Amino acid sequence: MTYDQAKARRIVEQSIRKEAAAKNRPADLINIALEKVVEAGLELPGFSTFDKMASKIRTEVNASICAGIHDRMSAAQRAGLMRLLEERDSDGTTLFNRLKKPAKDPTWSHFKNLTKRLEWLDELGDTDVWMDGVAAGKITDFAGEAAAADASELRDFVPVKRIALVAALTHKARMRVRDDLATMFCKRVATKIKEAKAELEEIRLAEREIVEALIGDYRTVLKHIDEGGPAQEALTKAAAMTAEARQALAGLDGEASVDEVATRLEGRVSPAVLSLVKAQVVQAGGFGTVTRAVEAFGGFAKQYEQIEKVSAHHGDFWEALLYGQIGRDRAVMFDLADNDKLKFTATSEDSRVLEALAHAQRHQAARGEYITAFNEEGKEVDISFATQNWRKAVLDKTRTGQFVRKHFEAMVFTALAEELRTGDVAVVGSEEYADWSEQLLAREVVQETLGSYLVEVGLCEPGESAEFDAKFFRRQLEDKLRNAAAAADAGYSENEGLVIDPETGIPSLKAFRADGQRPSAKRLEQEIKARMPERSLMGIVARTAYWVEWWRRFGPPSGNEPKLTDPLGRYVIVTFVKGTNMGPYEAARHIPGVSGHELSYVANKHFSIVLLYEAVADLVNAHARLDISQARGDGTAVAADGTRMDTYLDDLLSETSVRYGKPGGIAYHHVSDTHIALFTLPCGVWEAVYIIEGLLKNTSEVQPTTVHADTQGQSFPVFALAHLLGFDLMPRIRNWKELTFYRPSKQTEYVHIDALFGEPGKHVIDFDLIESQFCHLMRVAVSVREGTISSSTLLRRLRSGSRKNATYAAFREVGRVIRTVQLLRYPSDAPLRRRVTAATNEVESFNRFSQWIGFGNRGVIADNDPIEQEKAMKFNALLTNAVIFHNVLDIAEIVRQLLEEGWEIDPEDLAHISPYLTEHINRFGEYSTHELGIQPEAYDAKLDVDFTPLREQDLTPADLGQAA
């Protein structure tokens, strides 16, 4: 061994040992080690040497971590975890299986049961102590390995590793149940608010009937009290009787003796006293008639409720109705807020909501209508965080120093849910609801890497990084906004599409007409479709597996070689079954030689989300190397959009989307301009937070810098983060003229387009705020880029506009700059509008194609576990990409045949040929596996067609009139 090789070996060992503590896959460790050696300029040892070294060191490091976890636990805690593998739950499965159960939909009973699961998990032990010093990535890997196994398999592990894996899964389960409880709490509050608003709407519809009833009731009460009514008659009679008694007693001293009174009344004391008593009875009877009248209308409470409902209607006052909707949720919500369940902490110095929550908890047992407005120290509880409507509901002018208890509780729960969503309140021990600011990189680390980061994302040139500071950043944004506005103003007279009404200032865009498909393109499309060879889905998957070898990504989580007789065949079949969304037992009825149990076992034990990511990237990379892929684009742009996916509703992910108007989840795809999916993931009803996440998690060689999205992608924080990460976000803006354009300063005015910015002097960017928050903006951006915090977690916390969070305010201002720039570009650049429309239309075509492939179970994802739902989507993306890749190869082969036959192929015509062809693919029937054993000939990636004119003209198929 040479000196260089020996030195390289030492560097490799050091780097692998360091990274192995955080990473679990040998391939990652080898890549890191190779980078270190290459950086040092040393001679490389053989790859097999690296491979053996990485496996050995990884095993040693993992064993050390497992031993540390084991030793930090008490004997009783270890015994408790081992009982999970032996004792049975009520459903007959082991208690270990309970660790893996996902949360169900946010019903009251599920909400209550989830709090019990939290108690059970916490009784197992303080997992934070067990996992002290273990990297988060390593915990996730260990927990994933445990989750992929069942109790019987874990019993075969050596005791130390068995304990460590179950402990890691328990730790993740404790974090997940806190996340689920916080999510469920927020969803329950949102549901109750929705129901209160629905009740308000019902009141509006029934208002006339209620008002008429109240008027009738009030008229009856007035008749009883008015002159001639029973109450007035009784009062008159009582007054006369009282006067007689007083006259008889006139002149007596208040301290007169009994004898003196008897003498004065000639011994008739009893009649006078009786007269007074009768007067009181008559008077009470008079008031009783009024009371009985009110009782006849349903009672005072009913009357007050009716009046409150009408009052709510007139003030759009749904807050006054919320407490009536909370009902039995009240007890569960109070129980949840107990520090023994979820421990809340403020992420800023503003803790008013938590102080109000504590006050509500102290008076939880109160049953009266009012509680004191003062805390234990005698200070008034600060509710200035509440809206005017809430303060109106909580405060009663006739009860100074008191709160209306029910409204106060409803207000506190609403404010707590909002602050959990915005990240102003965090949940200790959770993952998604943790204090996100604590996940950011240290300022010193950011400062060290900031220079290279700024150059990498294109915020500055290589020579400018040293002078890039807060003032530089501010000036850069100001120039960007001023230049865009000046260009739009100067080009207005030549802009045939944009018209601003001189009187109203309302802008409008003239619709453009697509030119339609050229006859030559249509002829080529028909010829290609006619010649496409008939294929089976199973055969397509098998051939792409032979060609691209994506199947080699899969295997058991321990990292050992697959213990399967025919791994390629089994992985192809599982990908086909799961990608089409067929159930394993249903599929086994149509596929000879396999059982439902075997398919289910392989899918659970050998496939993970991370491995599916890698297999998808393999197909993307192979597709990008095909010459024909250039016909559709060059990979620099991506379109991101969601489509509704049908799921069973018994899970937390599913809910009713405002956009789609139906319950379920959303499948979110990032589709390259080459028309292959780079990234796929499930999400809730608000999609914008995932726009950037898909770009950052894309590990393929295709790395786009421009992202198009539907109207959902117009959030200020999303625009800001995209800019800071070096992406050009350009969504389709349907309602662009209703959005606000922001000026660079109060004094700035424009000749032609000033009406777009609204009233002069208003809607101005706060560049001072941006400058003051520069360091924190950079810290957040670098942390997201480095993966210490996910962009989706960050954007979920910044989406709601927290008034407490200076980071949100700064992101909002940067986002206003970037969105205004894009708004100015959008009406000024007709080709840009066509490109955006084409991109978003194309991703909709991909969505339809992937749904066509995922035909099993009528398209409904049957699993309620969010992890399994994501795996189902990844399987579908893998299968869809395999079909796209195969279709493109078949199209290229037909083009070669046509060229040999003398056809002249115009690249613009070829750009019209969609890879989403289905007519030649057989989806149904008995699925033969004979093609699994047929190794295809190597494919040809080259195609003798010059696509450079397409790039020079910057055309897309939709520009040519073929929008999907």
Side-chain angles (χ1 to χ4, degrees):
M1 182 183 294
T2 65
Y3 170 76
D4 277 355
Q5 286 180 326
K7 187 175 180 182
R9 187 184 182 94
R10 287 195 300 273
I11 292 175
V12 168
E13 288 179 345
Q14 292 171 359
S15 60
I16 289 178
R17 191 170 297 280
K18 179 180 178 182
E19 295 295 333
K23 299 182 183 294
N24 206 35
R25 289 185 54 74
D28 294 333
L29 308 181
I30 294 172
N31 289 336
I32 291 167
L34 283 169
E35 290 174 4
K36 298 287 185 182
V37 174
V38 170
E39 287 175 6
L42 300 173
E43 183 180 346
L44 293 174
F47 183 83
S48 59
T49 303
F50 276 5
D51 194 16
K52 293 177 182 178
M53 193 183 304
S55 297
K56 180 182 177 183
I57 294 176
R58 172 178 169 273
T59 301
E60 292 174 357
V61 170
N62 283 351
S64 175
I65 294 172
C66 289
I69 295 172
H70 177 277
D71 294 345
R72 283 188 288 273
M73 301 171 64
S74 68
Q77 290 170 339
R78 291 195 289 269
L81 290 191
M82 289 304 93
R83 283 196 295 272
L84 299 179
L85 303 177
E86 305 294 339
E87 296 181 3
R88 297 285 169 175
D89 209 343
S90 58
D91 60 359
T93 62
T94 61
L95 290 176
F96 170 73
N97 196 53
R98 193 191 290 183
L99 295 175
K100 299 186 278 186
K101 287 184 178 179
K104 297 185 178 181
D105 60 318
T107 64
W108 175 81
S109 58
H110 293 161
F111 192 14
K112 189 173 182 180
N113 291 337
L114 199 57
T115 62
K116 294 179 180 178
R117 188 189 300 183
L118 176 62
E119 293 175 0
W120 174 73
L121 284 167
D122 285 346
E123 288 171 359
L124 295 175
D126 188 350
T127 59
D128 290 331
V129 174
W130 305 348
M131 299 297 147
D132 184 39
V134 182
K138 186 62 69 174
I139 295 173
T140 299
D141 290 334
F142 283 179
E145 188 171 348
D150 54 35
S152 60
E153 290 173 311
L154 283 171
R155 295 189 200 108
D156 296 334
F157 284 66
V158 296
V160 172
K161 183 175 182 180
R162 185 193 318 152
I163 288 286
L165 293 185
V166 177
L169 184 60
T170 303
H171 179 70
K172 295 293 284 189
R174 288 184 73 217
M175 297 175 72
R176 187 177 68 245
V177 76
R178 283 172 165 78
D179 285 337
D180 291 342
L181 274 171
T183 298
M184 195 173 285
F185 171 78
C186 292
K187 288 196 172 188
R188 290 296 293 172
V189 171
T191 298
K192 297 306 175 184
I193 291 174
K194 185 177 180 181
E195 289 172 357
K197 291 180 177 180
E199 182 183 357
L200 178 59
E201 190 59 33
E202 291 176 4
I203 292 170
R204 286 195 174 107
L205 296 176
E207 177 206 5
R208 182 175 179 180
E209 181 180 345
I210 294 175
V211 170
E212 288 177 354
L214 285 174
I215 291 172
D217 296 347
Y218 187 50
R219 182 184 293 112
T220 301
V221 173
L222 289 177
K223 284 182 177 179
H224 283 304
I225 300 173
D226 199 5
E227 186 176 352
Q232 284 293 343
E233 289 179 358
L235 288 173
T236 303
K237 187 175 181 181
M241 295 172 72
T242 303
E244 290 178 8
R246 291 184 63 186
Q247 184 178 0
L249 297 172
L252 277 176
D253 187 272
E255 298 180 359
S257 65
V258 175
D259 293 338
E260 185 179 354
V261 174
T263 301
R264 177 66 178 275
L265 297 177
E266 298 177 353
R268 296 175 295 168
V269 177
S270 296
V273 174
L274 288 173
S275 180
L276 286 172
V277 171
K278 288 179 180 178
Q280 294 296 321
V281 171
V282 171
Q283 187 174 5
F287 283 113
T289 60
V290 179
T291 303
R292 285 192 297 275
V294 174
E295 292 296 337
F297 307 144
F300 284 92
K302 179 72 172 179
Q303 293 292 288
Y304 289 141
E305 182 183 350
Q306 296 282 67
I307 291 169
E308 199 165 67
K309 285 184 176 181
V310 174
S311 174
H313 156 66
H314 285 297
D316 198 19
F317 197 12
W318 60 264
E319 291 86 348
L321 305 174
L322 182 59
Y323 78 89
Q325 299 293 341
I326 289 179
R328 57 184 179 175
D329 283 84
R330 174 184 182 270
V332 182
M333 288 178 176
F334 268 121
D335 188 45
L336 181 67
D338 190 319
N339 278 339
D340 291 337
K341 300 291 190 305
L342 292 186
K343 184 177 181 181
F344 300 113
T345 180
T347 58
S348 68
E349 295 180 357
D350 186 348
S351 58
R352 290 173 297 171
V353 170
L354 294 185
E355 290 169 2
L357 173 63
H359 188 69
Q361 288 174 301
R362 285 193 293 270
H363 296 277
Q364 179 183 351
R367 288 295 177 265
E369 187 176 353
Y370 298 92
I371 60 174
T372 179
F374 296 91
N375 61 22
E376 294 174 316
E377 300 174 355
K379 296 180 179 179
E380 189 171 359
V381 177
D382 187 353
I383 61 170
S384 58
F385 60 85
T387 63
Q388 184 177 354
N389 268 7
W390 270 123
R391 290 197 291 271
K392 179 181 176 183
V394 168
L395 300 174
D396 187 336
K397 293 180 180 179
T398 65
R399 297 273 189 157
T400 305
Q402 291 185 315
F403 293 141
V404 180
R405 178 180 59 81
K406 292 180 178 179
H407 292 323
F408 179 76
E409 291 174 358
M411 176 195 71
V412 168
F413 291 142
T414 303
L416 178 61
E418 180 63 20
E419 298 219 333
L420 282 170
R421 282 192 293 265
T422 61
D424 292 326
V425 167
V427 178
V428 177
S430 73
E431 191 166 28
E432 183 178 346
Y433 289 89
D435 186 347
W436 63 267
S437 62
E438 294 180 358
Q439 301 176 46
L440 302 179
L441 289 170
R443 297 183 185 279
E444 300 77 21
V445 176
V446 173
Q447 197 59 40
E448 291 175 4
T449 60
L450 184 58
S452 59
Y453 169 83
L454 293 170
V455 174
E456 181 184 352
V457 300
L459 286 176
C460 70
E461 299 298 325
E464 296 176 334
S465 59
E467 58 184 278
F468 195 100
D469 56 11
K471 292 186 182 300
F472 189 104
F473 182 57
R474 171 181 180 153
R475 188 166 58 251
Q476 187 183 71
L477 287 174
E478 283 182 323
D479 291 345
K480 193 177 189 71
L481 179 55
R482 291 183 187 280
N483 293 341
D489 194 48
Y492 176 74
S493 57
E494 299 177 2
N495 188 346
E496 297 179 356
L498 176 63
V499 177
I500 301 177
D501 190 300
E503 295 182 2
T504 64
I506 297 176
S508 61
L509 276 174
K510 295 180 180 178
F512 68 89
R513 288 187 177 182
D515 296 332
Q517 191 176 16
R518 302 192 313 180
S520 57
K522 190 171 184 178
R523 177 172 170 243
L524 177 61
E525 181 182 42
Q526 291 173 342
E527 189 67 27
I528 288 176
K529 285 184 176 181
R531 298 193 185 201
M532 287 291 284
E534 185 175 337
R535 302 291 189 189
S536 70
L537 274 178
M538 187 79 76
I540 287 174
V541 181
R543 278 188 290 278
T544 60
Y546 275 112
W547 286 327
V548 183
E549 297 190 325
W550 49 260
W551 67 274
R552 294 187 181 276
R553 295 289 186 180
F554 304 116
S558 62
N560 298 326
E561 288 300 314
K563 297 177 181 179
L564 297 173
T565 304
D566 177 22
L568 182 149
R570 287 298 174 262
Y571 293 161
V572 165
I573 294 174
V574 169
T575 299
F576 165 76
V577 170
K578 299 293 286 186
T580 56
N581 198 38
M582 281 195 290
Y585 292 93
E586 175 65 23
R589 296 171 55 192
H590 303 278
I591 302 175
V594 297
S595 68
H597 173 74
E598 180 185 11
L599 293 175
S600 178
Y601 178 87
V602 174
N604 291 334
K605 308 301 181 182
H606 289 243
F607 289 79
S608 69
I609 291 174
V610 173
L611 301 182
L612 285 163
Y613 279 157
E614 296 173 357
V616 168
D618 287 340
L619 278 167
V620 172
N621 293 340
H623 180 267
R625 298 182 190 118
L626 302 178
D627 283 354
I628 195 172
S629 69
Q630 301 174 47
R632 310 290 292 184
D634 58 4
T636 59
V638 65
D641 194 17
T643 184
R644 193 182 70 88
M645 61 179 185
D646 286 322
T647 64
Y648 293 149
L649 298 182
D650 195 14
D651 66 83
L652 274 180
L653 181 66
S654 301
E655 53 188 298
T656 299
S657 168
V658 174
R659 178 180 178 189
Y660 297 100
K662 297 179 181 179
I666 293 176
Y668 204 68
H669 300 293
H670 287 68
V671 180
S672 169
D673 58 7
T674 61
H675 295 199
I676 196 165
L678 304 182
F679 194 78
T680 298
L681 76 166
C683 63
V685 296
W686 197 63
E687 306 161 26
V689 298
Y690 295 98
I691 290 175
I692 296 173
E693 190 73 0
L695 298 174
L696 296 175
K697 287 189 175 181
N698 167 37
T699 59
S700 73
E701 296 169 3
V702 179
Q703 293 292 322
T705 56
T706 299
V707 55
H708 302 297
D710 209 339
T711 308
Q712 298 290 316
Q714 293 184 35
S715 162
F716 288 132
V718 176
F719 270 106
L721 189 58
H723 176 71
L724 294 174
L725 292 170
F727 299 118
D728 183 20
L729 174 60
M730 187 65 249
R732 176 163 55 184
I733 309 174
R734 291 193 182 97
N735 58 337
W736 68 274
K737 60 184 178 182
E738 299 174 8
L739 301 177
T740 302
F741 289 67
Y742 288 88
R743 301 176 187 270
S745 70
K746 290 183 178 181
Q747 296 76 29
T748 305
E749 294 184 7
Y750 301 97
V751 177
H752 303 292
I753 64 170
D754 200 66
L756 295 177
F757 296 85
E759 188 177 338
K762 291 188 175 181
H763 305 144
V764 179
I765 299 295
D766 187 351
F767 285 107
D768 290 338
L769 175 63
I770 294 175
E771 185 176 344
S772 68
Q773 291 293 312
F774 168 77
C775 292
H776 203 59
L777 287 168
M778 293 300 116
R779 186 184 178 200
V780 169
V782 175
S783 298
V784 170
R785 186 78 169 191
E786 293 299 315
T788 61
I789 181 173
S790 75
S791 64
S792 58
T793 296
L794 174 71
L795 291 171
R796 271 196 297 269
R797 300 296 163 251
L798 296 180
R799 69 174 178 168
S800 298
S802 167
R803 299 183 184 91
K804 302 176 182 180
N805 197 326
T807 303
Y808 166 77
F811 266 87
R812 178 196 63 205
E813 293 305 306
V814 175
R816 284 173 172 174
V817 172
I818 304 304
R819 194 179 76 173
T820 301
V821 170
Q822 300 298 52
L823 287 174
L824 290 165
R825 289 177 59 196
Y826 192 77
S828 302
D829 190 341
L832 172 64
R833 293 197 300 276
R834 289 197 292 271
R835 287 196 298 273
V836 173
T837 301
T840 49
N841 283 345
E842 201 62 45
V843 75
E844 290 171 2
S845 295
F846 176 90
N847 289 338
R848 291 191 293 270
F849 185 63
S850 66
Q851 289 170 351
W852 183 86
I853 288 173
F855 59 85
N857 197 31
R858 297 182 179 180
V860 178
I861 296 179
D863 205 304
N864 285 323
D865 186 339
I867 295 176
E868 292 304 314
Q869 288 178 349
E870 184 170 0
K871 281 179 68 174
M873 290 182 56
K874 289 292 190 295
F875 271 115
N876 179 255
L878 177 60
L879 179 56
T880 302
N881 276 1
V883 176
I884 291 171
F885 178 73
H886 202 291
N887 276 353
V888 169
L889 288 178
D890 282 341
I891 292 170
E893 182 58 33
I894 293 171
V895 170
R896 291 189 194 94
Q897 296 171 10
L898 295 175
L899 289 171
E900 290 176 0
E901 294 172 12
W903 280 58
E904 290 187 8
I905 304 297
D906 189 323
E908 292 185 14
D909 293 341
L910 194 55
H912 285 288
I913 310 303
S914 170
Y916 309 141
L917 302 178
T918 60
E919 294 90 341
H920 64 295
I921 299 176
N922 179 20
R923 289 189 298 173
F924 304 112
E926 181 172 323
Y927 301 107
S928 173
T929 58
H930 76 279
E931 292 180 274
L932 300 182
I934 302 175
Q935 184 167 350
E937 296 180 1
Y939 65 86
D940 187 359
K942 302 297 181 183
L943 186 64
D944 191 18
V945 176
D946 184 10
F947 295 104
T948 52
L950 290 178
R951 304 287 78 78
E952 291 171 356
Q953 297 175 41
D954 195 23
L955 294 174
T956 67
D959 291 332
L960 302 169
Q962 188 62 26

